[in-house]
Amino acid sequence: MELAKGAWKILMAVKDGLVLLLLILFFAALYGVLSATPNSASVKEGALLLDIDGVITEQPAEIDWRTYITEGGGTVREYRTSDIVRALETARDDERVKAVVLDLDFFLGGGQTSLSAVGDALDAFKKSGKPVYSFASFYGDDAYQLAAHASEIWVDPMGGAVFAGPGGNQLYYKDLIDRLGLTANIYRVGTYKSFVEPYIRSDQSPEAKEALKAVYDVLWQSWQADVAKARPKAKIADFIANPAEMVAANQGDLVKLAKQSGLIDKVGLRADFERHVAKVAGVDEDMAPDSYKAIALADWTANHPPETADGRVGVITVAGDIISGDAGPGTAASGRIAAEIYGTLEDNPPDAMVVRVDSPGGSAFASEEIRAALLAVRKAGIPVVISMGDVAASGGYWVATAGDVIFAEPDTITGSIGIFAILPSAENALAKWGVGADGVKTTALSGEPDFAKGPGTAFNAILQANIEHNYRQFLSRVASARKKTPEQVDSVAQGRVWDGGTARQLGLVDRLGGLDEAAAEAAKRAGLTKDGFAVEFIETPAEFPGFLSGLLMGGIASHNPDGPAARGLVGWSSRQQQSLIGTAVHNMQRVFGQADVMAYCLECPAKPTTAPKQSSPWTATFMRFFD
């Protein structure tokens, strides 16, 4: 009896401990929400701080709060391009803002069109006579493209700058697949449709290299032109032409080389930088000694919501991989986007609509679902204008065919008009292990596609014919939208990617311009005056769990010098490797995670990711209660 009483006391103690732990977690989460919520009333004078410790993107992904807790917050933070641009525009003439600070120590990059938009906003801010300061321990390509627009560029004494340019190696898996005894059964149309090449080749095809080299040359020339215009005294050409020789001549001192090349203005520790900014922005007595008064980006944007007007141009965002279903922002889930489109048509239709596409493609069926919803908008008499961001290729271009007119940036990656499907089979692997497969068929398609013995001849012929039919549908949609013949479209299709400028020359794009130009065109087509409309983003509000994790991830924008990422040249190099691995894993998930006809672009850049942290056993167990 005493043993039973002792066991009962232990169980009660465990229960009480778990209840206490849950209460602690609840109040910690509640405190996080209250403290992280952007506070418009907290905006006082100082420097607007753009502490971008993550990526700049068209539409930040909705963070799964369970993933955030169990993985220890290993997800990369994402900052919306339009939020940063709007913050800079509204801060320009506001007396409370004395300067802008770019803290790029842990900046992971963004698409070239997004960076150009932020750079233009920084230039416009400087015209107000206020300074822009930039600090980082090390500058790579993307960070320097922003920093070049600063009034003063600071670097840590142990840092420097190195520019690599676009490009690099992809991973190819054919030899690995062969060794494993697997077979990647490929069905595709498009000489340049290179997404499937890693699974059937050990290297890049000459056609893929030709197309990609042409696009990367344009992007690299554009990057150099942007930097040279923003910072004329920087000797970029010499620095890029002979980097190893120049580094060797300076005995490996990257900071000295950057100073000599005019890439940076001042060298100093973060404390030195903050004391310097404090002379303009004022000293923050609540922070470290001599730290400057900073205005958090989230607080500023909360204080300056988008303008409203009688005329409305609604913006639908198609960002990320195009998939079927109702997934949240960050992926272009056709069910959610179509519901947003039909919902706004029924409840409060805008005068015109802009579709901001920033997607490498995905499911052909999902792309068609979004396209069909946009055609319903046009049928209702509402103009639809397409605005291409960093990427609008494959399925992204499929969606774009629904517009009245298509805008692209010169650096937009578009095209990649092609279709494919991949089905794996394991006939060779099973044979190596002595596993046979046999059975009775009633038709040539019984048991197909056969994973054990490989798809049969009849099935292969049917699926390839269906892929070719879908490709002809793709050509037909493009031809109808662009007022061309399918044969004319096919000559510039075949899965080939193009830069925005070339795409305009080829007739795949109507005009060059960004989101502002597209919105102005949409308003004009709706009969709205130049100053008589406002842009309104149409998005599904985040549910509470997603809202909570979003606040925990990105609600506070404080200038904290401590971070998880390594710094300097070695840290930058490490992040480049992690990005390659992350992209490879993401591509594998793309291929084998969806059983669908695919319209994807291999060459289109993916957002940088970080490896998730290992969750502890108790958190994983705890989170099961929410499944």
Side-chain angles (χ1 to χ4, degrees):
M1 190 67 180
E2 292 297 323
L3 180 62
K5 289 182 178 179
W8 178 254
K9 289 181 179 180
I10 292 174
L11 288 174
M12 290 298 99
V14 171
K15 184 264 293 181
D16 291 340
L18 288 174
V19 171
L20 178 60
L21 180 61
L22 289 173
L23 286 174
I24 292 173
L25 286 172
F26 171 79
F27 285 110
L30 181 61
Y31 174 79
V33 170
L34 295 177
S35 62
T37 301
N39 184 5
S40 61
S42 71
V43 173
K44 300 177 181 178
E45 70 174 31
L48 176 61
L49 173 61
L50 304 184
D51 181 12
I52 314 175
D53 54 345
V55 299
I56 294 177
T57 186
E58 195 66 43
Q59 183 182 56
E62 185 177 77
I63 306 299
D64 186 334
W65 68 292
R66 292 171 295 185
T67 302
Y68 179 82
I69 293 176
T70 58
E71 295 183 354
T75 306
V76 169
R77 288 177 64 175
E78 299 180 0
Y79 300 81
R80 191 190 299 266
T81 306
S82 59
D83 285 347
I84 298 175
V85 171
R86 188 175 81 250
L88 290 169
E89 289 174 347
T90 53
R92 184 170 56 210
D93 299 321
D94 195 303
E95 293 181 355
R96 292 173 295 177
V97 179
K98 307 301 181 184
V100 165
V101 172
L102 295 172
D103 192 332
L104 304 174
D105 226 1
F106 301 111
F107 179 49
L108 296 179
Q112 200 149 301
T113 65
S114 298
L115 300 182
S116 295
V118 176
D120 290 342
L122 288 169
D123 289 339
F125 177 87
K126 286 192 300 182
K127 289 181 180 179
S128 68
K130 303 175 187 180
V132 175
Y133 301 106
S134 175
F135 179 86
S137 62
F138 182 85
Y139 291 100
D141 299 27
D142 289 354
Y144 195 78
Q145 185 171 356
L146 290 185
H149 295 269
S151 311
E152 286 185 6
I153 303 177
W154 284 63
V155 72
D156 186 277
M158 295 184 64
V162 168
F163 308 132
N169 289 326
Q170 299 276 357
L171 296 182
Y172 289 78
Y173 316 109
K174 183 180 185 305
D175 291 344
L176 172 62
I177 291 173
D178 290 343
R179 290 186 182 186
L180 294 175
L182 301 175
T183 301
N185 300 283
I186 307 296
Y187 312 87
R188 67 165 173 169
V189 180
T191 303
Y192 296 91
K193 199 63 188 174
S194 58
F195 194 96
V196 300
E197 288 189 355
Y199 311 99
I200 58 175
R201 294 180 60 97
S202 299
D203 58 2
Q204 196 171 45
S205 69
E207 293 82 5
K209 285 187 176 182
E210 173 193 349
L212 196 53
K213 179 69 164 55
V215 171
Y216 280 172
D217 282 347
V218 170
L219 295 181
W220 188 222
Q221 290 167 8
S222 178
W223 183 92
Q224 294 177 73
D226 185 17
V227 170
K229 180 181 178 182
R231 192 174 176 86
K233 63 181 178 181
K235 301 173 184 176
I236 293 291
D238 295 340
F239 193 87
I240 291 172
N242 303 295
E245 292 85 347
M246 296 187 73
V247 171
N250 286 273
Q251 298 180 323
D253 190 338
L254 296 178
V255 173
K256 179 182 177 183
L257 174 57
K259 195 83 187 305
Q260 287 180 350
S261 302
L263 302 177
I264 61 173
D265 297 299
K266 296 186 179 180
V267 180
L269 298 172
R270 178 178 288 275
D272 301 322
F273 172 75
E274 295 195 350
R275 278 192 290 268
H276 182 73
V277 176
K279 295 176 183 177
V280 175
V283 177
D284 187 349
E285 302 295 346
D286 297 331
M287 299 295 290
D290 299 328
S291 181
Y292 60 91
K293 292 181 179 178
I295 304 170
L297 173 62
D299 290 342
W300 184 263
T301 53
N303 191 261
H304 295 80
E307 296 180 353
T308 59
D310 292 335
R312 295 167 52 244
V313 174
V315 177
I316 288 287
T317 304
V318 180
D321 293 352
I322 299 176
I323 63 173
S324 299
D326 300 315
T331 56
S334 61
R336 171 181 57 82
I337 294 174
E340 291 171 350
I341 295 171
Y342 290 125
T344 195
L345 272 181
E346 294 176 1
D347 301 333
N348 190 17
D351 298 288
M353 183 174 288
V354 171
V355 184
R356 182 66 170 176
V357 182
D358 188 19
S359 172
S363 163
F365 286 92
S367 300
E368 178 61 17
E369 184 177 3
I370 298 173
R371 175 183 171 274
L374 293 173
L375 291 179
V377 175
R378 291 179 62 183
K379 188 175 181 180
I382 298 173
V384 175
V385 175
I386 305 297
S387 173
M388 294 182 170
D390 295 315
V391 177
S394 286
Y397 193 86
W398 187 304
V399 170
T401 61
D404 294 298
V405 61
I406 298 177
F407 281 77
E409 306 269 12
D411 298 332
T412 297
I413 300 176
T414 188
S416 193
I417 300 169
I419 297 287
F420 72 90
I422 301 178
L423 292 177
S425 59
E427 58 271 25
N428 296 325
L430 295 177
K432 287 181 180 179
W433 291 95
V435 178
D438 199 5
V440 175
K441 293 187 175 186
T442 54
T443 73
L445 298 180
S446 296
E448 295 289 351
D450 196 332
F451 179 78
K453 298 187 72 172
T457 302
F459 178 83
N460 282 336
I462 291 173
L463 185 50
Q464 179 61 37
N466 183 248
I467 292 294
E468 292 173 2
H469 168 72
N470 288 330
Y471 178 66
R472 288 192 294 271
Q473 281 189 317
F474 201 164
L475 293 181
S476 175
R477 281 160 174 67
V478 176
S480 176
R482 307 309 304 160
K483 296 179 174 55
K484 297 177 178 290
T485 66
E487 292 74 22
Q488 288 174 321
V489 175
D490 186 51
S491 67
V492 297
Q494 292 292 317
R496 179 161 182 161
V497 293
W498 305 98
D499 62 272
T502 304
R504 180 176 179 271
Q505 295 175 1
L506 296 173
L508 296 176
V509 166
D510 293 297
R511 302 180 197 173
L512 296 181
L515 183 59
D516 289 344
E517 290 76 12
E521 175 64 22
K524 179 181 177 182
R525 287 172 175 262
L528 303 176
T529 62
K530 182 179 179 181
D531 299 321
F533 73 94
V535 172
E536 176 184 304
F537 284 84
I538 301 170
E539 291 185 0
T540 303
E543 297 179 359
F544 176 74
F547 171 72
L548 168 62
S549 59
L551 289 174
L552 293 174
M553 282 294 295
I556 300 177
S558 61
H559 53 301
N560 178 11
D562 300 321
R567 301 163 73 183
L569 176 60
V570 174
W572 175 80
S573 302
S574 175
R575 288 194 291 273
Q576 300 301 104
Q577 288 185 329
Q578 291 175 7
S579 179
L580 174 64
I581 295 171
T583 300
V585 172
H586 183 56
N587 284 342
M588 293 291 282
Q589 292 173 336
R590 279 173 166 177
V591 170
F592 299 112
Q594 298 187 56
D596 203 345
V597 176
M598 309 302 289
Y600 259 126
C601 168
L602 175 69
E603 299 86 354
C604 301
K607 287 186 289 191
T609 59
T610 56
K613 298 178 181 179
Q614 182 65 36
S615 60
S616 59
W618 77 265
T619 53
T621 302
F622 172 72
M623 297 314 295
R624 289 195 189 101
F625 290 104
F626 295 90
D627 290 332

